[in-house]
Amino acid sequence: MKRSKQWDVRGAVGFAAFFHFLYSCATGCLLPFLTLYLRHLGLTAVMTGTIMAVKHLVALAWRPLSCILARRHNKRRTVITGSLVCSAAVALTLLLFPPTGNSTENKSCNISQLNNVPTTLRPRTTLQKFSPSVRYSAEHTINPIQKHNSTEYISAVPVNISTLHNNQSTAETTTSSRSDGKNSSDVQKPSAGKRSRSLMKREQKQEKITKIQYQFLESLKVMDTQQQMFFFIMMIMILWEILAAPLTWAADDGLHEYLDFVDATERHRAVKPWKLLGAAGGIGCSGILVSVLYCLIGTVLHFYAYALLMGLAVPLAALLPLYRHKREHVPGAGVKALQLVRGDSQAMLCAITAVLTGMAGSAVSDFLLWQLQDHNATELQMGIIMAVVPLCQAAFAPLNGCLSRLLKFHGRLLPLAILGLSLQCLSYSFLQTPWTILPSQVLAGISIGALWWSLEAQSADIASPGTELAVKRVFEGLYLDLGAGLGSVAGGFVVQKFGINTLFQGTAAVLGLWCVTLAMLQWRIPRQRRINYSRLLAADASEMSESESEQDNDWLEKAMEEDKGNNNWRRLD
């Protein structure tokens, strides 16, 4: 007899939690510090905000589409493995760009220590000097930002190789004609004509090849070095996000369908705290390691740690519990989820709240490290300060059950969460020393945890069967992608125009105004009560009609009598 397949639900959830812990640890090593590295490369606040905004908007459009394609073709495991390998490789290409702005060299490093370190391990804080044989355009001038920088700057302008080749070829022909002037009478005129024709054809072919090869670089002559770097980093970030975006949703979809097949979807929420713990561990450990080893390898350790942990997660992807239902999938779950959110007034308020808080969170996370760096904070302080937020979110997760029993309506906690985020942003604008920001980070972690609890409870209220995960991802996309993209663009322009303190104060004012508006709208909009089926099943018998109770009692007594009769018959037999 063929044995039935065993489903180890606890082991599957534990293995998936360990995979997400490792992946979140990898992203925590690099992504929170990415804007700081872009500042080290010399990009302005507007450029940094634009790059981060494009990253979020690409994820907003590509992540759902890629997950649909992965499920339709049953290639989730291939997508996850390819995303791990390729995203790590693309992230390392950012190390090829030399800095063009102010140096972020750590003042605690001793020059004698740097001299004793091999040149391959020294942090690159200045631009590489190019060979003097390369010709530069005399018309290229240094912009005011480059003049203000203290680092040595040499502009690298693309050289027209075709003109150099033509000059070299003409020089060779003239020298050869001079040296062979005495024997010119011995050479026949037809052979000289053939050589000149072949030489002209070769030169024309070479000109066409060089024109095609350097046509793209010729179009960038109007840009300075900073703009060229911004353009190339933008393309790398788009490619990076295209490769990395499908990973989390593909893994979550496979695990959710795996648990749905065995009727254990409630276990899926046990993975989220491990994601938060992994992010906190990656941020804190990378900050400590970079602070200790800064004099040896500099800030590139963030990229190496990211690539290493992504490589360690590749073998785990081969064993990740994934399942695809053979039955027909419910079509248009995402469209139905959007319709459910749009058709409920309370859900629309939560959607607007998700966008506004996403904008505030992105603006804070993008430029908070810039402010800490202006206050002479080390990588160790930055890592510990940034790791407090996901750590408090993970500590807030076990309180979900208590809050659901204590609060009759989850919307009451939503204004309090927004108020906490507003106070957090306001405290950032009065920062004096790095360690004074720790209470604000604790408040931010609790507020974000309360915000997500309210959004998840709202998604559970309006979701229809089969759309629970889709409705939840609508709020997730509004917060992490749409709101974060808009916040990065707006934050970059505000920092460039008015400064970081103005950004934090303006964000606090907007959140405070929406907190009051949301409380008033929730009070005016009627709230639909959710049907509690467990209470209906446990209803008192007195609420039922006498005929129904008599029928139920008769049915139960008959079943008990038949069971007794069968047992007595077995004993006599």
Side-chain angles (χ1 to χ4, degrees):
M1 183 177 179
K2 186 177 178 181
R3 297 181 60 184
S4 61
K5 185 178 179 181
Q6 298 294 327
W7 297 83
D8 187 7
V9 178
R10 182 178 297 179
V13 173
F15 192 86
F18 180 69
F19 172 80
H20 285 286
F21 174 84
L22 192 61
Y23 174 71
S24 300
C25 189
T27 55
C29 289
L30 178 58
L31 294 184
F33 302 94
L34 188 58
T35 56
L36 195 64
Y37 185 77
L38 296 179
R39 188 187 194 187
H40 170 70
L41 293 180
L43 300 183
T44 62
V46 175
M47 293 179 178
T48 301
T50 304
I51 289 174
M52 299 304 294
V54 170
K55 178 179 179 297
H56 294 301
L57 296 179
V58 168
L60 177 65
W62 173 242
R63 186 182 287 122
L65 180 60
S66 61
C67 290
I68 293 174
L69 296 175
R71 189 196 182 278
R72 180 176 299 176
H73 299 284
N74 197 16
K75 298 294 183 181
R76 284 174 177 166
R77 200 176 302 276
T78 304
V79 169
I80 294 172
T81 305
S83 179
L84 289 171
V85 176
C86 297
S87 60
V90 173
L92 292 176
T93 58
L94 292 176
L95 298 177
L96 301 177
F97 294 96
T100 62
N102 291 326
S103 177
T104 58
E105 182 180 357
N106 194 347
K107 297 179 180 180
S108 62
C109 292
N110 192 359
I111 299 178
S112 61
Q113 295 177 357
L114 291 176
N115 293 331
N116 295 329
V117 177
T119 56
T120 57
L121 297 178
R122 293 180 184 175
R124 296 179 302 170
T125 57
T126 57
L127 264 175
Q128 297 176 354
K129 296 182 179 180
F130 297 92
S131 175
S133 59
V134 181
R135 298 181 180 180
Y136 299 98
S137 175
E139 299 177 357
H140 184 78
T141 58
I142 300 177
N143 56 18
I145 297 177
Q146 296 166 355
K147 291 180 181 179
H148 181 70
N149 295 334
S150 60
T151 55
E152 185 177 359
Y153 177 82
I154 298 180
S155 163
V157 180
V159 182
N160 193 347
I161 299 180
S162 60
T163 57
L164 294 178
H165 184 272
N166 293 333
N167 295 333
Q168 185 177 2
S169 60
T170 53
E172 290 178 353
T173 52
T174 53
T175 54
S176 60
S177 61
R178 290 179 182 177
S179 60
D180 297 337
K182 297 180 180 180
N183 299 327
S184 60
S185 58
D186 298 336
V187 180
Q188 297 180 358
K189 295 182 180 179
S191 61
K194 292 181 180 180
R195 291 180 180 178
S196 62
R197 291 173 186 174
S198 62
L199 184 60
M200 291 176 62
K201 291 180 179 180
R202 290 178 182 177
E203 291 179 355
Q204 291 177 357
K205 290 181 180 180
Q206 186 66 27
E207 288 179 359
K208 291 180 180 179
I209 294 173
T210 53
K211 185 177 180 180
I212 294 173
Q213 291 177 348
Y214 293 95
Q215 186 176 6
F216 179 71
L217 293 178
E218 289 289 337
S219 63
L220 296 178
K221 275 187 174 181
V222 295
M223 301 182 182
D224 58 5
T225 306
Q226 190 183 38
Q227 294 176 347
Q228 291 178 14
M229 181 177 292
F230 165 73
F231 183 75
F232 285 117
I233 290 178
M234 176 78 72
M235 293 191 298
I236 292 175
M237 292 298 294
I238 292 174
L239 179 61
W240 186 8
E241 192 60 32
I242 290 175
L243 295 172
L247 194 148
T248 54
W249 280 21
D252 285 338
D253 285 342
L255 179 63
H256 188 271
E257 293 188 11
Y258 178 92
L259 297 175
D260 186 34
F261 184 76
V262 295
D263 295 331
T265 53
E266 69 278 357
R267 298 285 188 90
H268 189 268
R269 66 181 65 181
V271 179
K272 183 178 179 180
W274 292 101
K275 293 181 181 180
L276 298 173
L277 291 176
I283 296 172
C285 293
S286 63
I288 294 172
L289 290 177
V290 171
S291 180
V292 173
L293 302 176
Y294 189 90
C295 297
L296 294 177
I297 57 177
T299 58
V300 297
L301 183 61
H302 292 295
F303 293 87
Y304 294 150
Y306 173 78
L308 178 61
L309 292 175
M310 295 288 276
L312 293 177
V314 172
L316 299 179
L319 303 175
L320 196 65
L322 301 176
Y323 185 77
R324 180 176 179 268
H325 285 301
K326 295 182 181 179
R327 62 178 174 84
E328 186 179 358
H329 183 66
V330 179
V335 178
K336 291 181 180 179
L338 290 174
Q339 293 176 353
L340 290 173
V341 173
R342 187 182 61 180
D344 189 85
S345 301
Q346 297 290 341
M348 283 297 297
L349 291 179
C350 290
I352 298 173
T353 303
V355 174
L356 292 178
T357 52
M359 293 177 62
S362 178
V364 169
S365 61
D366 287 346
F367 299 102
L368 178 60
L369 293 183
W370 287 33
Q371 190 186 33
L372 292 175
Q373 189 181 50
D374 294 339
H375 287 81
N376 299 324
T378 61
E379 291 281 343
L380 185 144
Q381 293 174 330
M382 294 179 186
I384 294 176
I385 289 171
M386 297 295 291
V388 171
V389 176
L391 193 62
C392 293
Q393 285 183 254
F396 187 84
L399 301 177
N400 292 341
C402 298
L403 289 175
S404 61
R405 291 190 300 266
L406 181 62
L407 298 176
K408 296 181 180 180
F409 176 48
H410 56 79
R412 296 176 181 175
L413 193 61
L414 198 59
L416 297 178
I418 300 173
L419 181 61
L421 293 176
S422 177
L423 295 177
Q424 167 213 358
C425 296
L426 185 62
S427 64
Y428 288 162
S429 61
F430 299 102
L431 178 64
Q432 297 296 329
T433 59
W435 290 121
T436 57
I437 206 174
L438 284 177
S440 301
Q441 294 295 94
V442 174
L443 179 62
I446 297 175
S447 300
I448 295 174
L451 173 67
W452 275 109
W453 179 82
S454 300
L455 295 179
E456 291 176 357
Q458 180 63 48
S459 63
D461 284 348
I462 65 173
S464 59
T467 62
E468 295 85 358
L469 187 60
V471 174
K472 179 181 176 182
R473 284 181 174 174
V474 169
F475 293 111
E476 184 178 348
L478 293 175
Y479 181 88
L480 297 177
D481 296 328
L482 180 60
L486 297 177
S488 296
V489 173
F493 279 98
V494 171
V495 171
Q496 186 81 14
K497 190 78 174 179
F498 305 102
I500 298 178
N501 290 330
T502 305
L503 171 66
F504 292 148
Q505 293 173 1
T507 304
V510 172
L511 290 178
L513 181 61
W514 177 246
C515 177
V516 177
T517 306
L518 178 63
M520 295 178 62
L521 291 176
Q522 285 182 346
W523 179 63
R524 295 295 300 271
I525 294 176
R527 176 169 56 91
Q528 297 179 358
R529 294 183 180 273
R530 185 183 180 185
I531 299 175
N532 195 335
Y533 293 99
S534 61
R535 291 183 180 178
L536 292 178
L537 293 175
D540 190 10
S542 61
E543 299 177 0
M544 304 170 62
S545 63
E546 294 179 359
S547 59
E548 291 178 354
S549 61
E550 291 176 356
Q551 292 177 1
D552 293 340
N553 292 332
D554 294 339
W555 173 82
L556 182 59
E557 291 176 359
K558 289 179 181 179
M560 292 175 67
E561 289 177 359
E562 290 177 359
D563 186 52
K564 290 180 180 179
N566 293 332
N567 292 335
N568 295 331
W569 178 79
R570 288 177 183 175
R571 291 177 183 176
L572 294 174
D573 190 27

